[in-house]
Amino acid sequence: RGKDEKYRVRMPRLRMVREYKDKRKSIDDVDRNIFKFKKSSEEKSKKMDKEEKLFRETFMYDKEIRVLATASAQRSVPSQRRADLPLTAGEQLDVIDVPQGHAVICRNAQGRYGYVLVEHLNFR
């Protein structure tokens, strides 16, 4: 053993410069974040299309969907019916249509549609 250790040549490890290594990691992270963002936006647009289709079938709405105003919910209100939109306090809503009566058709940030009573909304 003594002879083997004596003739054994130790090779130095090749070390990467720390700055270069950090730079390489940050570039890889940026590429990954871009792909994740694209994937989530595609999923979100598919979900929004699905919600819009469901809205058109449920409310028999054939007009163009336009945002008439934006409002925020004053308080949290659970939905009583399937057509009602559940609210959380401070949630931003887009007013889509104003039919006759005390309710308006709104869309929340997740893309869900439903009726909301005007008394629960705060218009700016």
Side-chain angles (χ1 to χ4, degrees):
R1 275 193 175 182
K3 291 181 182 179
D4 291 332
E5 289 178 9
K6 187 176 182 182
Y7 294 109
R8 187 172 163 189
V9 178
R10 296 205 181 243
M11 296 294 290
R13 272 191 163 180
L14 296 174
R15 294 188 179 162
M16 200 180 299
V17 178
R18 186 173 282 173
E19 294 171 9
Y20 175 73
K21 189 176 181 181
D22 292 341
K23 188 175 183 182
R24 198 180 85 202
K25 281 184 181 178
S26 66
I27 290 171
D28 292 342
D29 292 342
V30 170
D31 291 342
R32 289 185 187 130
N33 289 340
I34 289 172
F35 292 127
K36 286 181 183 176
F37 176 74
K38 286 182 181 178
K39 185 179 178 184
S40 66
S41 65
E42 288 176 8
E43 290 174 0
K44 192 172 184 180
S45 66
K46 286 180 183 177
K47 186 176 180 183
M48 293 285 254
D49 291 341
K50 183 180 175 186
E51 290 289 341
E52 182 179 332
K53 184 179 177 186
L54 183 67
F55 161 71
R56 288 187 181 280
E57 290 173 359
T58 305
F59 291 88
M60 291 180 264
Y61 196 83
D62 56 353
K63 297 185 263 180
E64 179 185 354
I65 296 176
R66 290 186 306 146
V67 177
L68 302 176
T70 54
S72 60
Q74 290 180 344
R75 63 186 89 119
S76 297
V77 179
S79 63
Q80 302 295 328
R81 303 174 298 177
R82 183 175 178 220
D84 292 340
L85 184 65
L87 300 176
T88 56
E91 182 180 17
Q92 294 292 325
L93 300 170
D94 296 330
V95 178
I96 304 299
D97 195 12
V98 183
Q100 299 294 329
H102 298 285
V104 293
I105 298 175
C106 293
R107 175 178 61 198
N108 65 6
Q110 288 81 27
R112 292 194 57 197
Y113 295 85
Y115 286 115
V116 178
L117 292 176
V118 176
E119 59 201 37
H120 298 304
L121 298 176
N122 183 16
F123 293 93
R124 293 185 202 150

